[in-house]
Amino acid sequence: LQNHVALTARDLETLQHSLHDADAEAAAFRAVAAPLLARSPWQSTFEWLPRVTRAQRDAFETAPSALDGMSIRELDASGAVVRAGSRDEYFPVAWTDPAAGREALVGLDHAHDAQRGSALARALASRAMTSTPPLSSIADSPEGRLVQTLYAPVADEAAAAGFPSDPAPVRGVVAATLDLAGLLEASLAQMGTHDQTLLLFDPDAPASAALLWSDGKPLQIIAPETRQGLAARIAGGVST
């Protein structure tokens, strides 16, 4: 399992490096992303989220190389997708790979999302890779699968050249979305493990949720308050 996640992290770094060129285009992004997705079926989507300021918003929404007439969007309190409100900056999805089937993700501002926004903010502050908790809304996965998203910031090399003593400003973030059920299935198949029930959680984070997986059943998020009792009832091996 750790090896599969580490492979995704390396793939995300590959995409991160490919986007250091400010002139990179969607076709070049997909040319790098497509073979990475093909070899790792648990990776469902790669995305490019440029930093868009308030002043740049109109141009970004109308540019054919960006949203091509679509508005930057956000989720409201009820989970509906609406036009994004006015704020200083946005990190909307500009490109995805695959493109087909991911149209609903384009334009969504991850920075304004309650769960994804905190992980993205940590990536910006630390200039390091971060991840969300497990996510399950249609805005996270068009197929309604349980997923987790990793973020890696992309430095603005041109801006940094003028200020060598300062950290490079971030011009965007590249993201990888993992299909968690697919990740577990691939890992267990490689181990030759079958007909097991697994409860996965972080023992050092008692307030965090757990994941419950069984052959032939949907992957579930288990609330922290029920995790301990469930672990005691599961027969056989429990993975932590």
Side-chain angles (χ1 to χ4, degrees):
L1 184 61
Q2 290 177 332
N3 288 342
H4 285 73
V5 173
L7 179 58
T8 295
R10 290 196 296 272
D11 287 349
L12 194 56
E13 288 176 348
T14 298
L15 275 174
Q16 181 187 37
H17 293 312
S18 76
L19 287 165
H20 281 309
D21 179 1
D23 296 323
E25 298 180 349
F29 170 80
R30 295 187 177 113
V32 176
L36 304 179
L37 288 174
R39 77 179 185 195
S40 304
W42 63 88
Q43 296 179 163
S44 67
T45 312
F46 286 119
E47 298 163 302
W48 166 237
L49 292 73
R51 183 197 291 264
V52 178
T53 65
R54 189 197 306 268
Q56 294 168 332
R57 177 174 179 173
D58 287 347
F60 179 78
E61 290 179 333
T62 56
S65 61
L67 295 190
D68 197 19
M70 181 188 298
S71 297
I72 296 176
R73 301 173 297 152
E74 66 188 31
L75 297 180
D76 67 12
S78 67
V81 177
V82 298
R83 177 177 169 82
S86 180
R87 44 187 174 268
D88 290 340
E89 66 179 17
Y90 311 83
F91 283 86
V93 177
W95 311 328
T96 69
D97 194 64
R102 301 294 185 269
E103 294 86 354
L105 303 180
V106 175
L108 285 172
D109 180 16
H110 283 210
H112 192 66
D113 183 276
Q115 292 183 298
R116 293 181 294 188
S118 60
L120 191 150
R122 293 196 310 274
L124 297 177
S126 65
R127 301 295 196 266
M129 194 176 299
T130 60
S131 68
T132 67
L135 306 167
S136 59
S137 78
I138 298 300
D140 305 309
S141 166
E143 300 88 358
R145 303 273 286 183
L146 193 59
V147 299
Q148 190 165 21
T149 299
L150 278 64
Y151 295 107
V154 176
D156 188 335
E157 302 289 356
F163 302 93
S165 62
D166 293 336
V170 171
R171 70 179 192 89
V173 174
V174 65
T177 298
L178 306 180
D179 179 325
L180 293 175
L183 174 63
L184 283 168
E185 289 163 5
S187 300
L188 293 172
Q190 191 174 56
M191 295 166 58
T193 301
H194 305 283
D195 301 320
Q196 296 291 321
T197 296
L198 303 178
L199 184 67
L200 294 98
F201 60 90
D202 183 353
D204 296 323
S208 64
L211 296 176
L212 179 65
W213 185 89
S214 297
D215 275 334
K217 295 182 180 180
L219 186 64
Q220 300 177 56
I221 299 177
I222 304 299
E225 58 270 20
T226 63
R227 189 182 76 187
Q228 186 172 359
L230 181 60
R233 295 195 302 271
I234 291 178
V238 176
S239 175
T240 58

